[in-house]
Amino acid sequence: MYKVSRWSAVSTQTVLVGWAVIVIFPMIWMIYSSFKTDQELFFSPWAPPMELQWDNFARAWTKAHVGDYLLNTLIVVIPALLLTLIISAMAAYVLARFEFVGRRFLFYMFLSGMLFPVFLALIPLFNLVNQLKMLNTFHGLILVYIAYSLPFTIFFLTGFFKTLPTEIEESAIMDGANPYQVFFKVMLPMASPGLISMGIFNFLGMWNQYVLPLVLISDESKYMLSQGLAFMLFKQFYENDWSALFAALTIIMVPTLIVYITFQKQIQDGITTGALKG
Amino acid sequence: MKKSEISRRRFIEYTGAAGMGIGLSSVLPQISLAKTGIKVASGAANPLGLASNTQAEGVFFSGGFGHAYIEYAAEIFGEVHPGSSMSVEGIQRVGERLRPRIIAGNPPDVIDNSGAGNLDTGALVGEGELMDLGPLMSATALDTPGKTFGETLFPGSQNSGLFDGVQRYVNIAFTVFGVWHSKSLFDEKGWNYPTTWDGMLSLCDTIKTSGIAPWTYQGKYPQYMLFGLLEPIVSKIGGPQIWKDVDNLVPSAWEHPAMLQALNMMKALHDNGYIMEGTPGLTHTESQAEWLQNKAAFIPCGTWLENEMRSITPGGFNMVIKPVPSDDASRLSWIDASSGEPFMVFSNGKNPVAGMEFLRCLLSKESAKWFAQNVGSIMPVVGGAEGVDLSSAMTSALAAVDNAGPNILDRPSFPGWYSDIYSEVKDSMGALLTGRASAEEFIERVQGASDDVREDEDIVKFKRT
Amino acid sequence: MRRNKYGIILPFLAPALILYSLFVIYPYSQAMYVAFTKWKGLRKSPRFVGLDNFEKMLGDDKFWNALSNNLIYLFVLPIVTLGFALFMAFMISQKVRFNNFYRVTYFFPQVMSVVAIGILWSFVYHPTIGIFSSLLKAVGIKNPPVWLGDPDTALWSIVAVTVWQSAGFFMVIFMAGMLSIPKSLYEAAALDGAGRGATFFRITFPLLWENTRSSLVFITVIAMDMFGITFTMTQGGPDRSTDVLATLLYEHAFLHSRFGYATSIAMVYFIIVIVLTLLIFRVTRRETIEF
């Protein structure tokens, strides 16, 4: 490799460290601020707390129901994610490996869903979910999450199935396996890197989803996480409890951070391969 | 000046606050209920004909007043109608939460449509979503014997809920609007509340030299300066016709010279650097919190301020409300006071009767007393503050109304009728108070919005006199 | 070769097709109709008015204001974010010390919810609670701007947050491309005595075509949307200085009860996204796309 001058190495590190501080510091500030009293928040924004106000977290957890929002989000996201993967993989397999009338049309129909702004559909979607008697239900939200994750997941997995070698599949058919066995025993395991990418990509999308639950869930006890957080923000405008809001942000951010650091390699790969195929 | 229907002496009589309340209730037989202690007048238990075992649903804005008072009213409801109940949910951003349900034809039975992000009242009325509350107004009052529900409310307090003569909502809070300061701070510094706007500006100068910002306002919500300052100043300078013309979309109504003068008076606060630094970036509670720390001396607000900030008000702060001064000291005492916090019943709800019945309970004397005692504000209910100890804030508000005598100022209705004009006023007010718009530009922008509304045939128009 | 082909095609496609048609296609096709109607978003049905909404849009200052804000984002965000991301990706892939730490750190904001980021940053910018203004005061700036309260700074404050959130994401996308560039190319360049700048512009950047194209599409979608961050930070204010099409249509629908008009704005938004995406693919086309 070519030589890098000492000066250039130092300036590179300065820029990199500088940006790292800009990324990290707001979060560190948020975490230690969540231990302060409202008075301290207002009068000494930089200072660490005089004593740790664990009560902020208690209020955020119980009064502001952050714990419930976390649980609700898991109840919806886990089944939605698994079903998205299996339903998309089935459709993508057929689209990638079979020739039939209308195949192109179907593929483009799914593809078009990636381009619509969700806002366009909100009110009609609400009407529909209401007619199906699924408003304020977790299963209603799960079905909607799946439907809105399908376009990209199918698009991605179709590309993925196309790249898989055909020999193994053909030899399985020769051995007398029926199409279902071929799919579940042979193709699905082979597609697992693609499924993992899509799993991570969709998990983050669903975990942070804001607009869909805003319209489909109006019962406060069934709020999703982002929705609950925004609700706390608007409520805080009337209730003067800034420290609990900081605590809630911390409660939400710290697990995300831990999960992220643990799986950072897979998460980055998942998101970027997802993004690059799009 | 238009005489308000609440005259001076009558007002004290109505609230019963000064201990002069007349015992209206001792003649007829009553049934006293155990839990809330409400005394139901004879024959007043169920004038609207609520079916037994009705489970009704209410969704209410939970803002400055909290929603404990609504829970109390629901308790009364359950006690008067054993077996029936009213569920109570306190929410923010009423529009986002409820519109989907309205479209779906599944609205709650009764709502409080207040606060930021509420439903567009003009559209609700125009589309026929709201129940005609006539039957409620003429029903027997719950615990004031011999009166109808309508007769137990302050005269004129429900006028803003009349659309083409039909009662579409009822206001449940009697609110005084004005300029607030800390009496303790002013006593300590030896400052006196000014009698004219010029006096206000010179006092601001003194305050500024002492290191305190003279003014702040609810930054991100500049509309507080509309009802706190612009409305009363314009009425004081130019008389009551101006806001009526504005409401009636009379061409050039905003171009009245009094409007220009009032806006320029307000703009002087910015031009002289009297507005607290950072104000435009604060929410209403945040700016109010700054004011409570004596970072600023004056703030405009309605009487919900005290309860809204109760949890973080320093002891001995002694907040008091005063009418805004104008060009003429003799009109200092004139003040904006009106009833607000609109409660509505949906015409296609499951139990509109339960919705109305709930309002009869909410605006009962018993509930009004609880509200005065625990929320520190008053309902527009005759005798609703009898025997209640009021705080310094509420006492000062009632004194201000008392001083105003017949000169209770009329408030404009356009904010509820035409949300487009109201939005433009908010934006332009922010621009004026940060020096980005002149008074003339303010008028041009708002008059433009008003003209657009007048010419838009899809917007339902209302008239007032 | 495959007998009984439809025995698998139908059951495998059915669940996806049913869910997608019901919850995606059907609401969108309804919306296409609503864009040509007047509708208060209450119980009464939409009333067909042809192109009225679009005509009205042409004369609507608020629409043009919001669109021009989107255009500012469309212009600034790709340059700043992608430029910065590319710069950092290049530096980190040079095997600097702690490169792994930087990569992990920079990417993190991408996994946080937009609502959380919006709330966090409105506090960072806050005139009294915030650290940013007090930092400026500490270094001697007397009257720091009221970042989100001043129309001159609000939009740029949001730009900064968006860069903060997404730069790491685009950096990782570029790094993925850089890692696939054969080492021998760099070694040859080094032998020729090329410096870092020359290496970057002659070798790295041209070979990142695919990644650049994907990034451009993504940043376009971000710049056209901006709803979550705007809604939690400024709600389009002060004085509409941060209003974008998404917040404007939300306001028309939910504040002024104009669902027909709001939906027609959403249509325009949709058309712009489609046109820009196709344009990006056209301009950066190097090979035919499959299918």
Side-chain angles (χ1 to χ4, degrees), chain A residues 169-184:
Chain A
E169 190 186 5
E170 273 156 12
S171 69
I173 295 170
M174 299 293 248
D175 292 346
N178 70 35
Y180 291 88
Q181 289 167 327
V182 172
F183 177 73
F184 285 104

Side-chain angles (χ1 to χ4, degrees), chain A residues 38-39 42-43 123 126-127 130 135 214-215 217-220 223 231 234-240 242, chain B residues 61 63 89-90 92-93 97 100-101 103-104 115-116 221 283-286 290 293 295 308-309 311-312:
Chain A
D38 282 326
Q39 299 285 325
F42 267 94
F43 294 112
I123 294 295
F126 169 83
N127 271 336
N130 179 50
L135 278 185
L214 189 65
V215 176
I217 303 284
S218 59
D219 179 348
E220 202 191 314
Y223 272 1
F231 175 66
F234 295 133
K235 214 159 86 165
Q236 179 269 145
F237 290 166
Y238 297 97
E239 294 181 353
N240 303 306
W242 292 272
Chain B
F61 170 68
E89 190 188 0
Q92 274 85 29
R93 304 197 69 88
R97 287 290 303 280
R101 295 188 53 183
I103 300 173
Y221 305 98
T283 66
H284 58 291
T285 39
E286 287 163 359
E290 297 283 316
Q293 306 300 332
K295 296 256 193 82
E308 186 163 70
M309 305 309 286
S311 66
I312 58 167

Side-chain angles (χ1 to χ4, degrees), chain B residues 228-276:
Chain B
L229 265 67
L230 188 64
E231 286 180 16
I233 297 178
V234 166
S235 298
K236 287 179 186 197
I237 299 175
Q241 191 59 37
I242 301 175
W243 290 120
K244 282 181 197 158
D245 290 348
V246 161
D247 288 344
N248 291 331
L249 303 175
V250 172
S252 308
W254 287 90
E255 288 158 12
H256 194 283
M259 196 72 78
L260 186 67
Q261 194 183 341
L263 288 165
N264 274 319
M265 287 159 73
M266 292 167 65
K267 189 166 183 289
L269 294 177
H270 167 267
D271 292 348
N272 292 308
Y274 292 154
I275 294 174
M276 185 181 76

